[in-house]
Amino acid sequence: MTDPAVDADGEPAPDVDDEPAPEPAVRLVRGTFAIDDLDAFLADLDGVAEETGAVVQAFDADLVVSATQLREAARLAARSIARGEAVARDPGVEVLLYAAGRRQIDRALELGVSEGEQAAVVLVADFGDVPGADRPTADLDGAVEAVRELAVGSTEIPDGDALDAAFDEGRVREFYAVTDRELAATNGDLADVVRERVALLDVEK
């Protein structure tokens, strides 16, 4: 009888927890969007996703502390999908949950966009190589171009952490429930606390 802890060659079988996490390619577009009808705007983003194969998710720029926050959320969402542990059926919503640092979809949606003219950061990602995501290889160039066409004005965020614009500290602290005591106890800043929230959601699963 074969020992389930070894493979056919007698070597230790790989543990799913030891498998490298999928690293989906991520591109970020920051821009101003005039959203007259939220459902119509989200339908436009769904259309971009369908046409390009990309995972597309929009975030309220006031609540995004860094590009790293969203890139790490995409990486952790990809890993949860690959392990069959995802909370949401839609990879974009799974990314949103990690970025928000919470499992409740209705609360995480507060991190998304709303009607009116507002600054937003739109993530487009290629989940084509993520097991279980059931996505084709994405045309990220096409997705970025299509998202930018929806904006009043936009720019693609280069690799790195900076967003070239300030977030709303008061709103961030309220959304992530960051207290003065917690800030005083950390060696980092508010952005570091939020990134820890993103990482801790994975630990808590």
Side-chain angles (χ1 to χ4, degrees):
M1 186 173 181
T2 303
D3 184 344
V6 299
D7 62 19
D9 297 320
E11 297 295 325
D15 188 328
V16 67
D17 289 337
D18 294 330
E19 291 294 310
E23 291 279 0
V26 173
R27 305 268 290 273
L28 300 173
V29 175
R30 181 185 175 95
T32 300
F33 296 81
I35 305 174
D36 297 324
D37 183 320
L38 181 58
D39 289 339
F41 178 74
L42 296 179
D44 287 339
L45 294 184
D46 287 342
V48 173
E50 186 173 345
E51 291 172 9
T52 65
V55 171
V56 182
Q57 183 63 51
F59 299 86
D60 183 340
D62 283 349
L63 295 175
V64 177
V65 300
S66 68
T68 300
Q69 174 191 358
L70 300 187
R71 293 192 176 105
E72 183 67 0
R75 184 186 72 81
L76 292 171
R79 185 168 70 173
S80 73
I81 292 169
R83 292 179 172 180
E85 299 172 350
V87 172
R89 296 178 184 177
D90 184 330
V93 176
E94 189 72 8
V95 174
L96 184 69
L97 289 170
Y98 273 98
R102 57 193 64 186
R103 299 184 201 178
Q104 298 80 17
I105 293 176
D106 58 337
R107 291 297 312 281
L109 288 173
E110 296 174 24
L111 192 61
V113 294
S114 55
E115 291 183 353
E117 186 169 299
Q118 73 166 111
V121 180
V122 180
L123 172 145
V124 297
D126 183 358
F127 274 50
D129 291 333
V130 177
D134 193 25
R135 307 287 292 207
T137 299
D139 173 11
L140 293 188
D141 287 337
V144 167
E145 182 179 354
V147 168
R148 296 192 65 178
E149 288 177 355
L150 295 174
V152 176
S154 68
T155 183
E156 183 175 358
I157 299 168
D159 288 342
D161 190 52
L163 290 173
D164 297 327
F167 53 85
D168 186 321
E169 181 173 343
R171 290 188 61 203
V172 168
R173 290 187 60 175
E174 180 180 3
F175 181 80
Y176 290 97
V178 180
T179 64
D180 291 339
R181 185 174 182 178
E182 183 176 9
L183 269 180
T186 182
N187 292 325
D189 56 14
L190 180 57
D192 294 316
V193 174
V194 171
R195 286 193 291 267
E196 184 179 21
R197 293 279 201 280
V198 174
L200 283 177
L201 183 68
D202 193 60
V203 172
E204 291 171 356
K205 278 192 173 182

